[in-house]
C-alpha cells in the first residue's frame, strides 16, 4: 500500500490503461462504465503530475469520482447513439446460387426435404416445380431453401 501511495500518479495511469483495455478489447465497448472510470483515472493521473490536485488518496478518489460522473454526463448520449447504428442489410449466404436437380415436385403446398451438407433442408417455391427440374437456391434461411427454376444464360 505504501508503494501505491508513493507512486499514485503511475498507479492511476496503469489502472486507467488497464480499464480502457478491458472495456475496449475484452468487453468490445459494450458497457461504458469501465471506459468512464478509465478516462477519469488517466485525467486524474495527469492532474496530479502537473500539480493541479494534491497527491493524496482522498484527492485522487474524489477526482476520479467527479471526472467519472462528468465524462458519463458528457459522453453518454454520443456513445449510446453510436451503438444504435444497426446494419439491416440481408446477409449474402454461400448457399445462395447452389443448383441441383429436384428429386420430388415442389409447390407452395408441397415442401419436400433436400439433403445438402449433412442437413435436411425444406424446399420452398412460389411456383410449382416438377421433379427433374434444374433449380437454384435464391434465399437460405434456417433450415429452409427458397428455390426457383434455373435460367440458362
Amino acid at each position: 500500500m505504501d508503494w501505491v501511495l508513493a507512486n499514485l500518479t503511475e498507479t492511476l495511469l496503469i489502472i486507467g490503461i488497464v480499464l480502457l483495455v478491458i472495456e475496449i478489447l475484452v468487453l468490445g465497448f459494450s458497457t461504458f462504465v469501465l471506459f468512464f472510470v478509465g478516462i477519469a483515472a488517466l485525467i486524474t493521473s495527469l492532474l496530479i503530475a502537473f500539480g493541479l490536485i494534491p497527491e493524496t488518496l482522498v484527492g485522487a478518489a474524489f477526482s476520479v469520482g467527479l471526472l467519472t460522473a462528468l465524462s458519463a454526463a458528457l459522453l453518454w448520449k454520443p456513445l449510446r447513439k453510436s451503438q444504435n447504428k444497426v446494419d439491416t442489410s440481408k446477409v449474402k449466404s454461400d448457399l445462395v446460387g447452389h443448383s441441383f436437380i429436384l428429386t420430388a415436385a415442389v409447390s407452395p403446398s408441397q415442401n419436400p426435404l433436400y439433403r445438402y451438407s449433412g442437413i435436411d433442408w425444406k424446399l420452398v417455391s412460389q411456383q410449382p416445380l416438377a421433379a427433374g427440374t434444374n433449380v437454384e437456391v435464391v434465399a437460405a434461411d434456417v433450415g429452409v431453401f427458397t428455390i426457383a427454376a434455373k435460367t440458362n444464360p
Side-chain angles (χ1 to χ4, degrees):
M1 186 68 176
D2 290 333
W3 184 86
V4 171
L5 291 175
N7 301 300
L8 191 58
T9 305
E10 294 84 4
T11 303
L12 285 171
L13 183 68
I14 292 168
I15 289 172
I17 290 171
V18 167
L19 289 176
L20 290 174
V21 166
I22 290 171
E23 175 66 39
I24 294 168
L25 296 180
V26 176
L27 299 176
F29 214 53
S30 60
T31 66
F32 300 129
V33 177
L34 295 181
F35 178 74
F36 296 141
V37 176
I39 291 291
L42 289 175
I43 294 172
T44 299
S45 174
L46 290 173
L47 292 174
I48 290 173
F50 290 123
L52 297 174
I53 60 173
E55 190 172 350
T56 62
L57 196 55
V58 173
F62 180 75
S63 176
V64 169
L66 186 67
L67 289 171
T68 298
L70 184 64
S71 64
L74 293 175
L75 298 174
W76 180 262
K77 284 194 180 206
L79 290 173
R80 192 73 180 159
K81 189 176 182 182
S82 72
Q83 277 190 335
N84 287 338
K85 294 179 183 172
V86 178
D87 185 14
T88 57
S89 62
K90 185 100 170 147
V91 176
K92 176 83 167 143
S93 171
D94 292 344
L95 300 170
V96 173
H98 170 67
S99 61
F100 59 96
I101 296 176
L102 288 176
T103 57
V106 179
S107 69
S109 61
Q110 290 178 297
N111 303 108
L113 296 178
Y114 170 68
R115 188 155 187 88
Y116 180 69
S117 190
I119 300 172
D120 287 329
W121 297 85
K122 182 172 135 180
L123 299 178
V124 175
S125 175
Q126 298 299 322
Q127 285 83 23
L129 300 169
T133 305
N134 191 10
V135 296
E136 72 177 332
V137 177
V138 293
D141 292 314
V142 179
V144 178
F145 275 164
T146 303
I147 58 171
K150 188 171 182 179
T151 55
N152 293 328

